[in-house]
Amino acid sequence: MAKEIREWAVAILIAIVVIAVIRMFLFVSFSVDGLSMDPTLEDGDRVVVNKFIYDLGEVEQDDVIVFESNQDSAYVKRVIGVPGDTVEMVDKTVYLNGEPLQEDYVVHQEESYMDNFTLSDLGVEGDVIPQGQYLVLGDNRPISRDSRDFGLITEDSIIGEVQLRFWPLNEIAIDF
């Protein structure tokens, strides 16, 4: 009996350590708060964020990421511009390196406070996004707080890439 209890205790302890390692270094769940990524992600959606993916590769344009903000809690946004890119918005159309982006995920087209911007409007010196910095925008542009508000984000602030929506169960998805 004592041997069986000891075996169970060891198994439970190992499971706790494995879960702690996974949460600390590999994956973390995140709850979407607000409608800034609607319709891609909605208020209350639960997602899994891959924390180690950028240790293996680069942040890419169109990645949906979670990052620490200087203003509030963590934000979830879409990467629009990476280091070396030029980005501007003219009449609600985003231009990346001079070409208009095809953004099928942007469905809200109401007037917003900033439908036009250049990198210099966001406080960037020069014509391109500097190394280690990224321009992020929410998919629901009229209400999103994003790089138009707080400027570019740093690579160090990125927690990871959203890789799975697991809640609500009827909207499980892996492609954003």
Side-chain angles (χ1 to χ4, degrees):
M1 179 76 165
K3 181 180 178 186
E4 186 174 312
I5 292 173
R6 191 171 36 251
E7 287 174 355
W8 272 104
V10 168
I12 291 171
L13 182 62
I14 289 171
I16 290 170
V17 169
V18 168
I19 290 169
V21 167
I22 288 171
R23 286 194 48 90
M24 286 176 51
F25 300 109
L26 303 177
F27 300 97
V28 65
S29 66
F30 179 78
S31 180
V32 176
D33 183 20
L35 296 171
S36 70
M37 285 297 291
D38 184 56
T40 306
L41 298 170
E42 297 176 357
D43 188 40
D45 283 0
R46 301 279 300 170
V47 297
V48 172
V49 177
N50 183 333
K51 293 172 68 172
F52 73 94
I53 191 164
Y54 297 128
D55 293 333
L56 305 174
E58 298 293 318
V59 178
E60 296 179 0
Q61 190 269 330
D62 211 37
D63 286 355
V64 175
I65 63 169
V66 173
F67 62 94
E68 294 292 340
S69 104
N70 294 333
Q71 301 177 2
D72 294 314
S73 59
Y75 283 171
V76 58
K77 303 292 177 200
R78 187 177 302 274
V79 175
I80 300 298
V82 300
D85 284 343
T86 62
V87 181
E88 66 179 336
M89 182 184 281
V90 178
D91 296 329
K92 301 179 191 172
T93 299
V94 175
Y95 291 84
L96 179 66
N97 301 317
E99 298 293 323
L101 277 183
Q102 181 64 35
E103 298 182 294
D104 296 332
Y105 44 81
V106 176
V107 297
H108 300 285
Q109 294 293 326
E110 301 87 14
E111 293 294 319
S112 74
Y113 64 97
M114 193 177 233
D115 290 331
N116 300 298
F117 70 82
T118 64
L119 288 177
S120 64
D121 295 332
L122 306 181
V124 177
E125 293 182 21
D127 296 337
V128 299
I129 297 174
Q131 287 300 316
Q133 297 187 28
Y134 300 87
L135 187 143
V136 295
L137 297 175
D139 292 354
N140 188 350
R141 302 282 159 75
I143 67 166
S144 180
R145 294 191 64 216
D146 48 39
S147 286
R148 296 171 296 171
D149 284 311
F150 46 74
L152 304 181
I153 65 165
T154 63
E155 189 168 11
D156 293 340
S157 69
I158 297 174
I159 296 169
E161 181 181 7
V162 174
Q163 299 223 299
L164 169 70
R165 175 180 42 222
F166 65 90
W167 188 262
L169 292 175
N170 64 336
E171 294 184 22
I172 291 175
I174 57 172
D175 187 22
F176 304 103

